Amino acid sequence: MSGPRVHAAYLRRSHVSEDRPGDASEEVQTEAVRRLCGSDVAIYKDWGISGRRADRPEYLRLKADIAAGKVASVCAYSLSRLGRSTRELLDFVELCKRHEVTLRTAVENLDTAGAMGRLLFTIMAAIGEFEAEVTAERMAGVQAERRARHEAAGALLPGGKMPNSLPMYGYRHARVNDASGRLVLMREPDPDRPIRPVVEAYREAGSLHGAIKLLHARGIPAPKGDVWHAATLARVLRSHDPDILPMRSATGRRRPLGKPAPFRGLLVCHCGALMTPVPARKAYRCSRGDSRLGTAIHGPAWVTERHLVEALEPEVDRIPVRVLVTLAGAQAAERDRLTEARRRLGIRYSAGELPDSEYLTELRRLDTKLGGLTDRSARVESFRLEHAIDLVNDDPAATNDALRRWWRAVRLDRDWTPSVDWLMDPDELERAEAEAEAAMRRR
């Protein structure tokens, strides 16, 4: 042991609200632990984190300091602050016992220095877990009743979700009474804050920061009425379409990518985290499997590029090879006009203005006209062949760009078998083209 051991105090609160501080506010907990351990105490605090989670950062740091012999005693406001699982609490007490650390709580007035204290601790921990389970069952019943009431009133959101207490941007809540007179929340578009101009600004600019400039120039208010920020805009866009932004950072901004890799920004671990390329090892890793960071939620997660190439070659072969034609004069201008019309059609569809059938009909009509520009009557200046993607070529950056045009993500299951999430499935594209060609022949 390198130095004197300290007295430690652990504070925790699952839900934080200034309007409802509750009996276990930070001030109440701090005052209680100082009465137990004195004013010279080292504070470990996990705020806004459930006690059922064993990966709480400060809780893990406290356990590491106990194991390292740096802690003489641990004080907490109550057993529920240390955790909600009897097994976890007993393991924590055993850890303290092995390293001769005394554990005290203020509410239960427990002290594990003696055998009676340890017995009472075990009993109180079991009672606390039982109360938590009863509360969870009661809340589940309340939620089921609320869901049934909203479902009967037709007030559930798309996907069967319950409306939040605060409406998402672009909508507002209408409070109405159902057939039995009970209150339900109905979601309706907000005419004062429509979502369509926000989506159009992002589609037009192609980036979050460019869209922010357009939103400010057009006087479109942010959710709280102040200026737009990248993180705010990303949250608003994703709340309406989870796949509208590329899989990058939390704000949608590009981070320094380092050395290129074929599957960078595409590979998703079975835990849902984006995997990081390690070019020196020609592999990809998941940070949530790295125990050194203290954030591990599963075992080490590594997958080699060779394994991915072998498994994904059949999917790559499905990507069609295209002939890119350069038209001349008026035909090029007509192509640009049709391409712009196709882009605006996508904006209207993403904003929910068009039903699926109308969108597909108009899309096929525009694609038929675009295809007609490259028939034999068109004057072609030049053409080039867009080759099939080669996963083992010497240009991983070009391979990554080509894959991103077709793939949204490559998801791994627990057996490390990859599956492709397509932006546009080639089979569906081929069927749409065949239908468009048949329609053109009928004309």
Side-chain angles (χ1 to χ4, degrees):
M1 189 167 55
S2 58
R5 299 200 297 174
V6 301
H7 297 289
Y10 182 74
L11 315 180
R12 187 191 61 77
R13 180 77 180 274
S14 298
H15 304 288
V16 181
S17 173
E18 294 181 0
D19 299 329
R20 301 177 63 185
D23 296 332
S25 65
E26 184 174 358
E27 292 77 11
V28 170
Q29 291 189 49
T30 302
E31 182 181 354
V33 296
R34 290 191 187 280
R35 286 199 303 267
L36 288 175
C37 297
S39 59
D40 187 14
V41 61
I43 300 293
Y44 297 77
K45 180 173 67 174
D46 284 315
W47 221 240
I49 302 178
S50 171
R52 294 190 179 276
R53 289 180 51 182
D55 61 344
R56 290 165 274 157
E58 287 295 281
Y59 180 69
L60 292 175
R61 187 168 72 90
L62 173 60
K63 291 172 66 175
D65 288 347
I66 292 173
K70 299 178 181 179
V71 178
S73 65
V74 175
C75 299
Y77 176 72
S78 67
L79 289 178
S80 61
R81 299 308 95 198
L82 288 167
R84 292 288 190 176
S85 166
T86 302
R87 183 68 267 167
E88 178 64 31
L89 286 171
L90 293 178
D91 289 343
F92 185 78
V93 172
E94 185 62 29
L95 174 67
C96 292
K97 181 180 177 181
R98 287 199 306 269
H99 297 276
E100 299 179 351
V101 176
T102 302
L103 178 61
R104 303 185 183 95
T105 64
V107 172
E108 297 85 4
N109 194 25
L110 294 179
D111 189 338
T112 60
M116 183 58 68
R118 288 191 292 272
L119 174 62
L120 290 175
F121 187 97
T122 303
I123 296 173
M124 296 300 296
I127 293 174
E129 184 176 17
F130 171 75
E131 290 178 344
E133 291 177 355
V134 170
T135 301
E137 291 177 359
R138 185 169 63 250
M139 292 303 299
V142 172
Q143 288 293 330
E145 192 274 336
R146 287 184 63 235
R147 176 176 293 277
R149 189 165 75 246
H150 279 73
E151 185 175 9
L156 290 180
L157 303 182
K161 296 182 178 180
M162 286 283 294
N164 296 326
S165 58
L166 295 177
M168 60 192 294
Y169 188 94
Y171 293 90
R172 64 185 180 185
H173 283 164
R175 298 178 180 271
V176 299
N177 293 325
D178 63 2
S180 60
R182 289 173 295 185
L183 186 68
V184 296
L185 297 178
M186 302 285 289
R187 190 177 77 170
E188 60 182 26
D190 188 350
D192 297 329
R193 297 194 308 176
I195 186 59
R196 191 180 75 174
V198 179
V199 176
E200 288 181 348
Y202 174 72
R203 298 285 191 190
E204 183 178 341
S207 67
L208 290 175
H209 291 283
I212 287 173
K213 293 181 181 179
L214 293 178
L215 293 172
H216 287 161
R218 296 169 184 174
I220 299 174
K224 295 184 179 180
D226 53 0
V227 298
W228 285 92
H229 298 282
T232 303
L233 179 57
R235 184 177 67 253
V236 168
L237 291 172
R238 284 200 176 103
S239 66
H240 290 269
D241 183 358
D243 300 320
I244 192 172
L245 296 177
M247 297 179 66
R248 296 175 185 165
S249 63
T251 61
R253 292 179 293 183
R254 286 186 181 272
R255 290 175 175 171
L257 294 182
K259 294 183 179 180
F263 305 105
R264 182 184 292 276
L266 289 171
L267 197 61
V268 180
C269 179
H270 59 76
C271 70
L274 196 64
M275 299 190 73
T276 304
V278 185
R281 298 179 59 173
K282 286 192 175 295
Y284 300 77
R285 69 174 181 86
C286 176
S287 61
R288 293 186 178 180
D290 192 346
S291 59
R292 296 172 301 174
L293 302 178
T295 58
I297 64 173
H298 55 67
W302 285 82
V303 60
T304 64
E305 202 165 277
R306 179 178 178 181
H307 168 74
L308 295 172
V309 169
E310 292 175 353
L312 292 173
E313 277 184 346
E315 294 294 311
V316 173
D317 291 341
R318 295 179 61 201
I319 298 177
V321 179
R322 301 256 178 204
V323 176
L324 304 181
V325 180
T326 302
L327 302 177
Q331 288 153 338
E334 177 66 7
R335 180 196 59 192
D336 293 341
R337 186 188 69 79
L338 292 172
T339 302
E340 175 63 17
R342 197 176 188 277
R343 186 184 72 84
R344 292 188 175 277
L345 179 69
I347 294 175
R348 294 179 62 196
Y349 178 67
S350 65
E353 298 180 7
L354 297 175
D356 293 350
S357 57
E358 184 177 344
Y359 167 71
L360 291 174
T361 301
E362 183 65 15
L363 180 65
R364 290 165 186 165
R365 187 184 71 81
L366 292 174
D367 286 343
T368 300
K369 289 188 175 183
L370 281 169
L373 293 176
T374 58
D375 62 11
R376 292 183 179 180
S377 63
R379 185 162 64 87
V380 177
E381 287 189 346
S382 64
F383 70 92
R384 66 183 176 86
L385 186 66
E386 186 181 73
H387 296 281
I389 299 173
D390 181 9
L391 293 178
V392 294
N393 63 17
D394 296 328
D395 192 352
T399 300
N400 186 252
D401 289 339
L403 291 176
R404 282 176 177 272
R405 296 186 201 132
W406 291 95
W407 295 354
R408 178 180 291 113
V410 176
R411 307 187 187 278
L412 296 170
D413 61 17
R414 292 188 178 275
D415 296 328
W416 308 114
T417 302
S419 60
V420 175
D421 184 3
W422 291 82
L423 288 167
M424 181 179 293
D425 190 276
D427 295 338
E428 296 180 5
L429 179 63
E430 185 177 353
R431 283 195 296 270
E433 290 178 345
E435 292 175 2
E437 186 177 352
M440 187 169 60
R441 289 200 198 97
R442 288 194 295 270
R443 294 177 185 176

